[in-house]
Amino acid sequence: RAIRAVERLRERGILFTITSGRPPKGMKMVIDPLKISEPIAGFNGGMMVRPDFTVIEARTLPADTARKVIGIIRDHKADPWVYNGNDWIVSNAEAPHVAREQWTVKFPPVVGKVDEKLDQVVKITGVSDDLALMKRLEHDLQQALGDTASAALSQPYYVDVTNRDANKGGVVMTLERLLGIPAAQMVTLGDQPNDVLMFRKSGMSIAMGQASAEVQKQATYVSTSCEEEGFANGIEKYVLGDA
């Protein structure tokens, strides 16, 4: 049903693409069935690629900022992951969420020293199952980084740090420039705190039903949850205008 909803968008002349905190290669399982032909934003906008993963542009973190972020994550007793170019680097392959993330993105991490290679860092993720700690980590990273980088929870157990211009609000503005479509004519859908920035930049926004109350109140409309075909319902009702 989600695939059909995207097909119907194209029949109306409406373009469709995706953005995620994942590496671009980690979105292949969505790119292929949805037959996406527009630019795709990985790493929350840190890397804009074509569907064949050819890089259009990349926004990286300065090495000193990356080193500072890793230190803050470790000080909070969370586990840092570093995405340097196409490499996903972890210090321990058995650490929480590594196996699950590998299953999700469909490629393995490089195991090594996460602070050894910081020349092309597009994203750093702090990981912990202590959800209260993760909220504190998000807050403390935002306070420490100010406007020099972007820090936001992409899942309750992940906080992503990217270049200050590499956030989902920035994705909307980059697509406006690349596609020549005003942000006011764009619709965004999401369910996490890091989706709120793109809600604010786009003309209309739809929060998924499983989103927190804080995220839902930032959106123009709220759809049903992903277990209840929330993506298709949101597209059909609020974009295609189905009764």
Side-chain angles (χ1 to χ4, degrees):
R1 190 170 159 196
I3 292 170
R4 178 58 186 146
V6 173
E7 289 173 346
R8 290 182 62 199
L9 289 176
R10 292 197 183 97
E11 289 166 4
R12 296 278 191 92
I14 299 171
L15 305 183
F16 177 82
T17 191
I18 54 176
T19 180
S20 173
R22 295 179 184 181
K25 290 190 298 183
M27 295 187 277
K28 182 174 174 58
M29 75 291 291
V30 180
I31 295 167
D32 290 348
L34 295 179
K35 300 177 182 176
I36 296 173
S37 58
E38 308 308 327
I40 295 151
F43 299 120
N44 297 322
M47 190 175 288
M48 188 72 70
V49 302
R50 296 182 178 88
D52 64 358
F53 305 117
T54 304
V55 176
I56 298 171
E57 57 187 45
R59 294 184 172 93
T60 59
L61 288 167
D64 57 342
T65 301
R67 197 166 285 108
K68 179 179 181 179
V69 168
I70 292 168
I72 294 171
I73 291 171
R74 284 175 169 161
D75 288 345
H76 284 70
K77 309 303 181 187
D79 189 29
W81 298 348
V82 172
Y83 294 84
N84 194 77
N86 286 318
D87 291 334
W88 164 32
I89 307 167
V90 302
S91 57
N92 178 8
E94 306 302 318
H97 296 284
V98 173
R100 174 70 181 181
E101 186 70 7
Q102 180 174 336
W103 179 87
T104 300
V105 301
K106 309 303 182 191
F107 68 90
V110 175
V111 180
K113 294 181 179 180
V114 297
D115 53 0
E116 190 170 67
K117 189 179 178 184
L118 302 176
D119 57 328
Q120 291 292 320
V121 175
V122 285
K123 186 178 76 165
I124 300 173
T125 299
V127 185
S128 173
D129 282 321
D130 184 336
L131 305 189
L133 179 146
M134 292 303 290
K135 288 185 177 179
R136 293 197 301 275
L137 176 57
E138 178 192 46
H139 173 269
D140 292 349
L141 282 167
Q142 289 172 347
Q143 292 297 307
L145 297 171
D147 63 359
T148 64
S150 174
L153 289 166
S154 59
Q155 295 288 345
Y157 42 84
Y158 290 160
V159 60
D160 293 340
V161 179
T162 52
N163 180 287
R164 64 182 181 180
D165 297 319
N167 58 69
K168 291 187 178 179
V171 170
V172 172
M173 305 316 295
T174 300
L175 288 172
E176 178 181 66
R177 171 169 51 83
L178 293 176
L179 301 176
I181 296 173
Q185 294 180 18
M186 296 186 194
V187 181
T188 52
L189 297 91
D191 67 349
Q192 293 296 328
N194 67 342
D195 294 319
V196 170
L197 288 175
M198 71 177 182
F199 288 178
R200 292 173 181 167
K201 293 291 186 181
S202 58
M204 191 173 91
S205 54
I206 303 169
M208 297 287 286
Q210 73 269 11
S212 68
E214 290 78 12
V215 171
Q216 289 188 16
K217 71 182 181 182
Q218 299 288 332
T220 314
Y221 300 108
V222 177
S223 186
T224 53
S225 73
C226 58
E227 289 84 6
E228 302 168 302
E229 296 282 5
F231 172 83
N233 281 329
I235 294 293
E236 291 165 0
K237 183 174 182 181
Y238 301 114
V239 183
L240 296 170
D242 293 353

